[in-house]
Amino acid sequence: MLGKPYKHKVIKYSPTGWGDFEGGDSKAYFSSDKHIQYRYIKKSRTVIYRYNNHDKALQLKYNYQKIVLGHGHKTPEYSYYYKLGQQKWVYTVTYRFWLVKPIKY
């Protein structure tokens, strides 16, 4: 949708949130299934995903992931956040992509 990337780089990451999101439990918390719902906010260029939680030990109905698009259309930056249930958003990582034949979004 945004163009074909030819390279990407991790710009920064949160050492406190990185392990929680990238660990072995991330697949259980953020599993993709047919119940994914998302919302795109054009003004702030933010995508919010809501997943059904299948982990019964957490006692939560939904998990959330937020992607904030920043920078320009040739080198977009994606900042990832997550939250479990009603907790606060936790910053995870920011990637910058360099695109071949980018389009404006």
Side-chain angles (χ1 to χ4, degrees), residues 2-85:
L2 299 177
K4 181 178 178 184
Y6 67 94
K7 65 178 179 176
H8 76 278
K9 180 180 180 182
V10 175
I11 301 296
K12 59 182 177 177
Y13 70 93
S14 169
T16 58
W18 180 269
D20 293 337
F21 183 73
E22 294 293 329
D25 293 331
S26 66
K27 289 183 181 178
Y29 292 160
F30 297 98
S31 62
S32 60
D33 58 10
K34 63 182 178 179
H35 300 292
I36 292 177
Q37 296 179 351
Y38 68 92
R39 179 177 165 202
Y40 176 66
I41 304 165
K42 188 173 182 179
K43 186 175 182 180
S44 62
R45 293 179 10 182
T46 303
V47 181
I48 299 175
Y49 293 98
R50 184 175 80 175
Y51 299 83
N52 280 348
N53 185 5
H54 299 292
D55 189 353
K56 302 299 181 189
L58 291 176
Q59 301 293 323
L60 303 170
K61 190 170 182 180
Y62 298 112
N63 299 325
Y64 300 89
Q65 185 175 17
K66 177 168 68 171
I67 304 172
V68 179
L69 285 76
H71 211 258
H73 68 278
K74 291 183 179 179
T75 56
E77 289 182 4
Y78 293 76
S79 297
Y80 288 82
Y81 300 82
Y82 73 93
K83 76 175 179 176
L84 303 174

